[in-house]
Every structure is written in C-alpha cells, then in structure tokens.
Amino acid sequence: MFAVVAGLWGLCLAVSALVPVADVDLVDPIETIFAGVRFAGYDARVVLMVQAGIFAAIAFGVFFHQRWGLLLALCYMAEVVMSHLAFVIAYLPIRSEWENVHSVASQGPMVVLITLYLWIRAYDLIFDLHPTDARERPVSDASHRVAVRENSSAGDIAAIAE
C-alpha cells in the first residue's frame, strides 16, 4: 500500500511540474520547498521532478521488498522534517511570511508521525537484526505451572497465560 501511494504521489509531482496550470507568461504558480529553501518557477519544476524521481525510487524499492527502498523513504522523510523546521525558523521573523510559516508548521506533526512510523518499520533493517539473533523466551517447566495453580491469587493469571 505504501509503495502504491508513494508511486502515485511521485506521478502527481511529475504532472504538476510538467503541466502548466496557468499562463506561464503572466505568472508561474509553481512553488516548492526543499531543504528549507523556497523555489519558484523553473527551479521549482526541477526540484519537483527530482522529488518525483525520489518517490518513484521509493515506490519501486518498497514494492519489490528491497531494503534500500525503506531506508530511502526514511532518509527522505528525515529530510522533510528538517526542511520544515529550517523553513519555519528562517521565515518566522518575516511578518509577510507568517501565513506560509503557519501552514508549514501545522504540517509538522503529521510529517514527524510518518517519519516515526518509518523508523519503527525500518529499525530491524537498519540494525540488521535477524530472527535467529532474537532472544529466546524461557520455557516454563511443569513444576512451575503446578506451583502457580496452587497459589489462588495467581491462578487466574496462570489460566490466562495458558
């Protein structure tokens, strides 16, 4: 599902960069922020195409269960979090940018949650943990079970555990 959404988002970014929405001679409405820097016009189109390529690579990697796909998604989302923070810090003193700062800052919690989700999903891949490396759970012996059953206060817990 994540790969499909990433691929569709990459497609949307590419279409928005390639198809002019308004008359380009009068005004170019394309604006984007990357690494805390605002880009407009032709530069924004190039940045959008780069971002579309990144999302296409993420979609390809995740869809085909490649380790680098999830790691690329995690690195990109970490960059997005830092980009949002840099933009808010840089443009906060400028009164005319307060509306843009407010909109970027309101996106911050969702971006952080997505990044944390990717971190949780990629944790095993980053530290290369294999199921054989995981700690084995101790097996309880029969005498321990009998002792737990005889103890009336722990009997309910023992019944639930079995």
Side-chain angles (χ1 to χ4, degrees):
M1 181 61 112
F2 183 79
V4 172
V5 171
L8 289 175
W9 184 248
L11 182 65
C12 288
L13 288 175
V15 167
S16 68
L18 295 176
V19 176
V21 177
D23 187 10
V24 182
D25 294 336
L26 299 176
V27 62
D28 194 356
I30 300 291
E31 280 190 353
T32 189
I33 298 170
F34 188 75
V37 179
R38 179 185 293 171
F39 294 95
Y42 178 75
D43 295 336
R45 292 181 190 281
V46 171
V47 170
L48 283 175
M49 289 304 295
V50 169
Q51 288 177 339
I54 291 170
F55 276 102
I58 290 170
F60 181 80
V62 171
F63 186 75
F64 290 109
H65 303 285
Q66 299 295 314
R67 177 181 180 172
W68 58 265
L70 190 56
L71 295 175
L72 179 62
L74 179 64
C75 290
Y76 183 78
M77 288 307 297
E79 184 277 327
V80 170
V81 169
M82 292 185 292
S83 176
H84 275 66
L85 183 61
F87 180 81
V88 168
I89 291 172
Y91 287 96
L92 188 61
I94 303 170
R95 181 178 221 89
S96 62
E97 292 293 327
W98 280 359
E99 184 176 329
N100 294 328
V101 169
H102 181 270
S103 67
V104 169
S106 66
Q107 296 168 2
M110 183 56 71
V111 171
V112 169
L113 286 176
I114 293 170
T115 306
L116 288 175
Y117 170 77
L118 288 172
W119 170 257
I120 291 168
R121 299 293 293 183
Y123 182 80
D124 292 338
L125 292 175
I126 293 171
F127 295 108
D128 201 25
L129 296 177
H130 298 290
T132 58
D133 296 340
R135 282 187 273 164
E136 293 183 21
R137 296 171 66 185
V139 179
S140 62
D141 57 346
S143 63
H144 178 69
R145 290 183 187 172
V146 171
V148 169
R149 285 185 187 136
E150 290 174 0
N151 186 354
S152 64
S153 64
D156 295 333
I157 296 172
I160 293 171
E162 291 178 1

